[in-house]
Amino acid sequence: MKKVTRAACLSLAVLIGGLSLSGSYAFGKSRPEDPAKALQVFSSDRGQALQATAIGPGLVNLSPSDEFSTYQWGLKNDGEFRLIELQAKFRTVDQTYSQTRSGVGIGIPKPGPDDYKSIVTHAVTGVDIAIQPAWKLYDQAETKRSVTVAIIDTGIDIHHQELKNSLWTNPGEVDGDGIDNDGNGYVDDIYGWNFYSGNNQVFVGNEDSHGTHAAGTIGADRGSYGIAGITDNNYVKLMTLKALGGEDGAGSPEAVIQAIRYAEAMGASICNLSMGTTAYSEALDQAIRDSSMLFVVSCGNGGVSGLGYDTDIYPVYPASLPHDNVISVANILFDGSLSKDSNFGALSVDIAAPGSFILSTIPGDAYGFMSGTSMAAPMVTGVAAMIYSYRQDISLLEVKNILLNSSRKMDSLAGKMVSGGLLDAYAALTWQ
């Protein structure tokens, strides 16, 4: 199997860029924005309840038993994508955030309400992750590996009809008895843990829209309710680790590190990190480097200008960390072009996946559209979990190599990332 890696070349790129992984930064005037001290959830983060007419990626339903799956263009694209009269009120993910705030926070939200009103885009047929043939192949397999995926983010609505059957639960804990039954240092950690507040309340309300949206893309019930998740929730379970919270989705790198250590200790093998920062944290670097998990990370939504930039020159962490267990993900549009606000990097970004106007779960048994590399990363996480479950003969590092090598090469992505390609679930499952 041919190995695709960016570790050695990225180290060279960092030196050429004049940056020190262990020191402070001194960026020139061409820097898209000053380095943020905050770890940010990279997403457009404007959730929109599905209260308006939408015409999705073609007339054939992706998953007929799921009412809204026609609108999931990222999974299937027949060459048309239109959103009509998406009026409605935006959820509380409408804030503007300081780039100098310490700790963790959700990135500058975009697009604004006007960008949703009259979108009519003729998509390019086949710009999707080819999930239907992948499902067919996966479902035919007689045996599959059980996989736990850690979602370190805001919380997840554990009561959502689409997610309640997809959640990891701690087999060593008794719910509600106030005792640390398994002796891991966390009392009643049934679904995971809230590292933002230091308790077991992994869902607190609308501030957890971002994590709930990521969870739906990866593991929403297929064939049951509104949308179809990528994975089979009989075999893939989602561990809820809330490290971000509050009105602006703030938290700390230390909370993320604690969540990583918990996830690995409790058996997770793949970790979704739809977040990032331009400020390097040696402790976070070491936590990821020393982990046995595979990390799928959003590469960022550009600077204050709204335009993506080259992370080979201006790194974004943890996506730019030069470790073999990190996959950095960019956002591709339904017409096959890289989203204008998606970062890129020939050496530091690995693969692209659909990330704009992605329909998924939001709190309260609802569904909403969000955009950003935060939405692209869970696409890759879901397919990674599917591969690892399907191919019981491979390691997690081989999962990464398969994803990159099997990606669908596209001229629009050439020279912009390591693989030069779009995530392809079927090609990944059949890659030899």
Side-chain angles (χ1 to χ4, degrees):
M1 178 185 299
K2 182 181 177 182
K3 182 178 181 181
V4 177
T5 181
R6 58 187 168 92
C9 17
L10 180 55
S11 296
L12 178 61
V14 168
L15 287 174
I16 292 173
L19 309 181
S20 165
L21 286 178
S22 59
S24 61
Y25 304 144
F27 295 110
K29 292 181 179 179
S30 60
R31 179 81 170 94
E33 59 179 302
D34 291 334
K37 294 179 181 177
L39 196 63
Q40 302 166 350
V41 174
F42 283 129
S43 92
S44 300
D45 237 57
R46 289 177 181 267
Q48 165 66 61
L50 192 64
Q51 299 174 351
T53 302
I55 299 178
L59 302 178
V60 179
N61 204 335
L62 174 72
S63 177
S65 298
D66 292 295
E67 183 180 359
F68 304 134
S69 69
T70 298
Y71 313 135
Q72 293 184 263
W73 78 266
L75 305 187
K76 183 176 184 290
N77 181 2
D78 283 342
E80 181 184 70
F81 185 78
R82 303 174 67 201
L83 296 177
I84 302 175
E85 297 175 0
L86 279 176
Q87 357 176 315
K89 79 197 225 194
F90 288 88
R91 297 184 61 85
T92 54
V93 283
D94 185 22
Q95 307 93 337
T96 300
Y97 310 104
S98 167
Q99 292 298 304
T100 59
R101 183 189 299 274
S102 62
V104 182
I106 293 174
I108 298 172
K110 50 188 179 294
D114 290 342
D115 297 309
Y116 284 98
K117 286 182 179 175
S118 59
I119 293 174
V120 178
T121 300
H122 292 289
V124 174
T125 300
V127 179
D128 58 51
I129 69 169
I131 195 63
Q132 285 181 304
W135 280 339
K136 183 176 181 180
L137 190 63
Y138 182 92
D139 292 346
Q140 290 173 346
E142 294 184 1
T143 59
K144 305 177 184 79
R145 170 165 34 195
S146 294
V147 178
T148 300
V149 173
I151 300 179
I152 302 177
D153 207 295
T154 66
I156 295 172
D157 182 355
I158 57 175
H159 310 295
H160 201 294
Q161 61 186 1
E162 293 272 17
L163 301 175
K164 58 188 179 183
N165 295 323
S166 304
L167 300 172
W168 171 86
T169 55
N170 185 351
E173 202 71 16
V174 177
D175 192 6
D177 68 352
I179 300 171
D180 180 13
N181 303 103
D182 59 3
N184 69 350
Y186 301 94
V187 175
D188 290 342
D189 54 323
I190 302 300
Y191 299 101
W193 193 253
N194 181 335
F195 291 93
Y196 174 76
S197 299
N199 57 44
N200 69 344
Q201 191 175 359
V202 294
F203 174 68
V204 300
N206 284 339
E207 72 175 54
D208 295 327
S209 295
H210 192 269
T212 301
H213 198 276
T217 295
I218 298 167
D221 261 341
R222 172 159 50 105
S224 298
Y225 301 104
I227 64 166
I230 290 172
T231 60
D232 182 341
N233 62 16
N234 291 302
Y235 298 95
V236 177
K237 298 297 183 181
L238 309 179
M239 183 184 290
T240 309
L241 300 173
K242 180 176 171 63
L244 311 177
E247 188 174 302
D248 59 355
S252 69
E254 290 73 23
V256 176
I257 293 168
Q258 292 171 2
I260 288 172
R261 291 173 177 160
Y262 176 97
E264 186 167 10
M266 300 306 290
S269 52
I270 299 172
C271 180
N272 190 88
L273 292 174
S274 288
M275 61 179 69
T277 177
T278 55
Y280 172 73
S281 165
E282 183 175 0
L284 182 58
D285 183 342
Q286 290 179 352
I288 290 175
R289 180 197 65 196
D290 297 340
S291 175
S292 63
M293 293 190 294
L294 178 64
F295 294 85
V296 182
V297 190
S298 54
C299 73
N301 300 327
V304 293
S305 66
L307 299 177
Y309 55 81
D310 189 341
T311 55
D312 291 354
I313 302 172
Y314 309 113
V316 166
Y317 303 106
S320 293
L321 292 177
H323 305 319
D324 287 341
N325 64 338
V326 173
I327 302 176
S328 176
V329 185
N331 170 14
I332 194 172
L333 294 171
F334 27 75
D335 63 1
S337 65
L338 193 66
S339 177
K340 68 179 182 179
D341 61 0
S342 175
N343 288 344
F344 54 90
L347 305 177
S348 55
V349 176
D350 290 305
I351 193 170
S356 292
F357 299 103
I358 302 303
L359 181 65
S360 188
T361 48
I362 55 177
D365 281 344
Y367 304 87
F369 293 94
M370 291 188 188
S371 296
T373 56
S374 278
M375 283 64 252
M379 294 269 181
V380 176
T381 298
V383 174
M386 178 184 278
I387 297 169
Y388 196 49
S389 176
Y390 180 76
R391 292 282 304 275
Q392 299 177 63
D393 59 323
I394 63 174
S395 68
L396 285 168
L397 292 183
E398 287 176 307
V399 169
K400 175 179 178 177
N401 292 326
I402 289 171
L403 285 170
L404 271 59
N405 280 295
S406 65
S407 64
R408 198 175 317 138
K409 312 310 174 190
M410 302 182 68
D411 291 343
S412 61
L413 304 178
K416 296 274 182 81
M417 56 201 64
V418 174
S419 69
L422 165 66
L423 176 69
D424 188 318
Y426 180 71
L429 258 63
T430 57
W431 184 263
Q432 298 297 327

